[in-house]
Amino acid sequence: MRILIVDDEENLVNALYKALKEEGYSVDIAQDGLEGLEYAKMNVYDVIILDIMLPGMDGIKILENLRNEGINTPILMLTAKDATEDKVKGLDTGADDYMTKPFELCELMARIRALLRREAPTKSPILKVADLELNTLTRQVKRGDKEITLTSKEFALLEYMMRNAGRVLTRTQIADHIWDYEFDGFSNIIDVYIRYLRKKIDDDFENKLIHTIRGSGYCLKESK
């Protein structure tokens, strides 16, 4: 499960990041409203934790923008604004839940789990691009009738690319999301894992799915 935190309180963000990672979630962080909006539009998240008072663009405007564009990702407002009118405005704008700071971490985790359960019946666990299928629940991967065995990192990389099928992903984006460290321009680990994936899902098939976009990164899509 993938969660986006949009909040500019560094200590809080660091604590949330650590707690969510320990629970097994993949976590992205944006500490600016405009950056948070861009992340939410470019990537697929299971839950977004959103502050209201943010530099660049406030959380209510981010929420309104996402809902107007048809992005229905569950959003939990996490903010110091505790007046009833603020809560009503957030919920009426499209938030799925609203918590005020300070808060108990165990309650936040419970609310996240509740949002994920609410979404589960409407979401298929199967990602599909052409004849490639990935089951996020059973962690099974197959292309056509061929079962494909992947390591945990290969699976995470393929899932990330399939969730962003048709989009060009830079090496920096891949490093941030899969390895959780800042991309080192001298490291070839991304290219190595792309080669591993190609060998397993492309080499035996005429229709290649993983494409190198010279000077930009990689894209998983069906060839035309």
Side-chain angles (χ1 to χ4, degrees):
M1 294 294 179
R2 191 172 177 195
I3 295 176
L4 172 64
I5 301 171
V6 187
D7 198 304
D8 64 336
E9 293 183 42
E10 188 169 353
N11 290 337
L12 172 63
V13 168
N14 290 338
L16 280 180
Y17 178 84
K18 181 179 179 181
L20 290 167
K21 293 293 287 186
E22 287 177 353
E23 291 293 319
Y25 298 111
S26 176
V27 184
D28 290 339
I29 295 171
Q31 294 182 288
D32 175 273
L34 293 173
E35 181 184 37
L37 179 61
E38 183 179 4
Y39 269 55
K41 287 182 176 181
M42 288 182 60
N43 303 293
V44 178
Y45 294 100
D46 296 287
V47 172
I48 297 173
I49 299 173
L50 179 64
D51 192 8
I52 290 180
M53 295 179 287
L54 292 163
M57 177 182 288
D58 70 62
I60 295 296
K61 289 182 180 178
I62 293 172
L63 176 58
E64 188 175 36
N65 192 300
L66 294 176
R67 295 310 190 223
N68 286 341
E69 293 202 14
I71 298 174
N72 295 314
T73 305
I75 294 178
L76 189 158
M77 306 296 291
L78 185 62
T79 175
K81 295 176 76 68
D82 58 358
T84 299
E85 56 265 32
D86 292 318
K87 297 177 183 179
V88 170
K89 185 175 183 180
L91 293 169
D92 280 349
T93 304
D96 297 272
D97 201 353
Y98 195 107
M99 282 188 73
T100 56
K101 304 173 184 176
F103 59 92
E104 293 292 336
L105 185 60
C106 58
E107 181 182 355
L108 175 65
M109 293 298 183
R111 291 187 185 222
I112 290 172
R113 291 193 293 271
L115 289 175
L116 292 172
R117 286 196 300 272
R118 190 186 307 172
E119 283 294 293
T122 64
K123 279 190 174 183
S124 170
I126 297 176
L127 303 177
K128 188 171 182 179
V129 177
D131 58 347
L132 175 66
E133 290 188 7
L134 180 150
N135 190 312
T136 59
L137 293 181
T138 65
R139 299 183 70 82
Q140 291 178 313
V141 177
K142 65 178 183 177
R143 181 148 189 204
D145 296 325
K146 180 183 177 182
E147 294 279 347
I148 298 172
T149 302
L150 300 177
T151 66
S152 59
K153 285 299 185 187
E154 290 168 351
F155 184 92
L157 176 56
L158 182 60
E159 180 182 359
Y160 179 50
M161 295 184 77
M162 291 185 74
R163 286 186 182 276
N164 291 278
R167 295 174 176 170
V168 178
L169 300 174
T170 67
R171 290 172 177 81
T172 302
Q173 286 175 311
I174 293 171
D176 287 345
H177 291 295
I178 307 302
W179 279 271
D180 292 325
Y181 59 62
E182 185 128 351
F183 178 66
D184 178 354
F186 295 99
S187 172
N188 67 345
I189 192 170
I190 309 300
D191 306 296
V192 168
Y193 272 86
I194 289 290
R195 286 201 299 272
Y196 291 162
L197 275 186
R198 277 188 167 135
K199 184 175 181 180
K200 293 183 176 182
I201 72 169
D202 268 351
D203 281 3
D204 294 335
F205 297 88
E206 182 178 353
N207 182 17
K208 308 303 180 185
L209 298 179
I210 299 177
H211 304 272
T212 300
I213 310 301
R214 190 173 298 278
S216 298
Y218 297 100
C219 179
L220 189 145
K221 63 180 180 179
E222 185 174 5
S223 299
K224 299 299 183 182

